[in-house]
Amino acid sequence: MANLVLQGPTLGKAQVDALAAMARPSRVEGITARAFRLRNARKDEAIASYCEARNIDYGWIPEGRRFADLKLLAMDMDSTLITIECIDELGDLAGKKAEIAALTAQAMRGEIEYRESLRRRVAAIAGLDESALARVYEERLKLTPGAEALIAACKKHDVKLLLVSGGFTFFTDRLKARLGIDYTISNVLEVQGGNLTGALIGDIVDADAKAKRFLQVAAQLGARKEHTVAIGDGANDLKMMNEAGISVAFRAKPVVRAQASCALNWTGLDGVANLFE
């Protein structure tokens, strides 16, 4: 038995009633106008197909998981906290977006090794003026809908925030300062003479590095597994997500959705808070 959390941009009473008939919960609770909790629901194979056909996000969450009890929430940056892949946008300014975006997509689907894909993508933007970084941040980087509401909920309940990224410190540092994020980990682009060299400085932040940083921060906070959440969209987030009490695949690749606790395909990042009591 678990709670079935339903949410979606067009979710209404008729759909909730239909799902309640399948799940036979002890009661139905409204969370927001477009989010509902079905307590002590029974799993039925028809629920998944019903939700997927109607753009309804659903998640099976253990009873008693309260947002206020969380100690750590970690999330990926590109295509999770923000709507873009920064490396793809830098590639666009270098006239190589199609080439770089294809490599990004393959890496996120887990089809090619992440470190190799990142080296190839960074090498492709060698010679780009470093001012391109500021252009991407100022002109193209947008927060994902619901991001600020989720961060506000974390601050209200003193849940620490960790931003993990296979992207670059130029962006994570600015988002940390802007949003009040507690911890970050990301890659450092090498710049010489005002231009990107096509190389990185230091160790590459890959799936293992993300998971290691997540566990380090959780240990520092004294957080047990059930007091942690990890959110991501790509294959390089999976090791970190597997270490969390609840893992959320956010508008993610199929390989990530298959392994996560639940997936949010239609709801904003604020939907993460709705999963908890």
Side-chain angles (χ1 to χ4, degrees):
M1 303 293 282
N3 296 333
L4 174 60
V5 177
L6 306 170
Q7 46 191 329
T10 61
L11 181 62
K13 184 177 184 302
Q15 294 169 327
V16 174
D17 289 346
L19 287 159
M22 301 177 205
R24 293 177 289 164
S26 59
R27 67 178 185 273
V28 177
E29 300 171 348
I31 303 170
T32 69
R34 296 284 181 246
F36 297 82
R37 180 179 296 108
L38 279 58
R39 285 205 177 266
N40 299 311
R42 301 171 191 274
K43 294 190 177 182
D44 185 304
E45 290 183 3
I47 291 172
S49 56
Y50 182 95
C51 289
E52 287 161 9
R54 293 163 178 81
N55 298 349
I56 299 170
D57 289 326
Y58 67 97
W60 297 95
I61 307 298
E63 179 79 19
R65 294 292 178 93
R66 300 173 63 246
F67 195 87
D69 291 336
L70 294 176
K71 292 183 180 294
L72 174 63
L73 184 145
M75 71 178 92
D76 179 45
M77 180 176 71
D78 296 277
S79 297
T80 302
L81 176 63
I82 62 176
T83 60
I84 62 170
E85 292 282 339
C86 292
I87 185 69
D88 294 358
E89 299 306 317
L90 291 169
D92 185 37
L93 296 179
K96 298 179 180 179
K97 184 168 186 176
E99 168 193 338
I100 290 174
L103 285 168
T104 299
Q106 285 181 292
M108 294 306 98
R109 293 193 298 263
E111 295 171 0
I112 56 176
E113 196 271 328
Y114 185 81
R115 286 170 170 259
E116 177 60 23
S117 78
L118 184 61
R119 288 190 187 99
R120 288 166 62 184
R121 286 178 286 160
V122 172
I125 57 173
L128 192 63
D129 192 288
E130 67 176 327
S131 63
L133 296 166
R135 284 188 60 192
V136 170
Y137 182 80
E138 294 164 6
E139 300 172 11
R140 304 189 181 197
L141 186 149
K142 306 294 182 187
L143 295 178
T144 296
E148 289 174 295
L150 176 59
I151 290 170
C154 288
K155 292 183 181 302
K156 177 181 178 181
H157 295 288
D158 197 28
V159 181
K160 299 303 181 185
L161 287 155
L162 167 63
L163 183 61
V164 296
S165 180
F168 310 116
T169 52
F170 183 92
F171 303 104
T172 58
D173 287 352
R174 282 157 180 75
L175 289 167
K176 179 182 181 182
R178 171 179 164 188
L179 300 172
I181 292 169
D182 302 287
Y183 310 92
T184 63
I185 182 172
S186 53
N187 292 298
V188 182
L189 287 166
E190 184 179 65
V191 179
Q192 290 183 0
N195 298 99
L196 304 184
T197 67
L200 295 165
I201 298 172
D203 295 334
I204 289 178
V205 176
D206 59 3
D208 289 321
K210 287 184 175 186
K212 181 179 179 181
R213 183 64 172 146
F214 177 84
L215 290 171
Q216 284 175 339
V217 174
Q220 180 180 330
L221 297 173
R224 298 197 301 270
K225 186 171 184 174
E226 63 267 28
H227 295 150
T228 65
V229 182
I231 311 164
D233 72 300
N236 65 325
D237 298 315
L238 279 171
K239 288 186 177 181
M240 173 186 73
M241 293 169 69
N242 288 338
E243 299 293 347
I246 296 290
S247 57
V248 182
F250 186 77
R251 302 184 186 179
K253 308 302 182 286
V255 66
V256 183
R257 295 199 300 266
Q259 296 185 45
S261 304
C262 60
L264 296 180
N265 298 318
W266 309 102
T267 309
L269 274 176
D270 51 330
V272 173
N274 293 336
L275 298 170
F276 298 85
E277 299 174 36

